[in-house]
Amino acid sequence: MSRLEGAYEHLATKADLAALESRLLRWIIPTILGGIAGGVGIAAAVARLVE
């Protein structure tokens, strides 16, 4: 049994996964919002050039 317990020390715990999820959300949400804002800006610029 001790051999099995020692083999899993490198795996993530529930707390590790929760912290990772929090960090990912703090990174992904602003990236998506920035992409949307950039897309809207590009669309507005193209609309001005087409007129």
Side-chain angles (χ1 to χ4, degrees):
M1 189 67 167
S2 64
R3 189 173 86 184
L4 289 176
E5 289 173 357
Y8 295 116
E9 291 176 1
H10 65 281
L11 297 177
T13 62
K14 287 182 181 181
D16 293 335
L17 294 176
L20 176 63
E21 180 183 11
S22 174
R23 284 186 305 209
L24 282 174
L25 285 175
R26 279 189 252 150
W27 179 82
I28 289 172
I29 291 173
T31 301
I32 290 171
L33 293 176
I36 291 170
V40 167
I42 291 171
V46 168
R48 279 189 175 180
L49 289 174
V50 171
E51 283 184 354

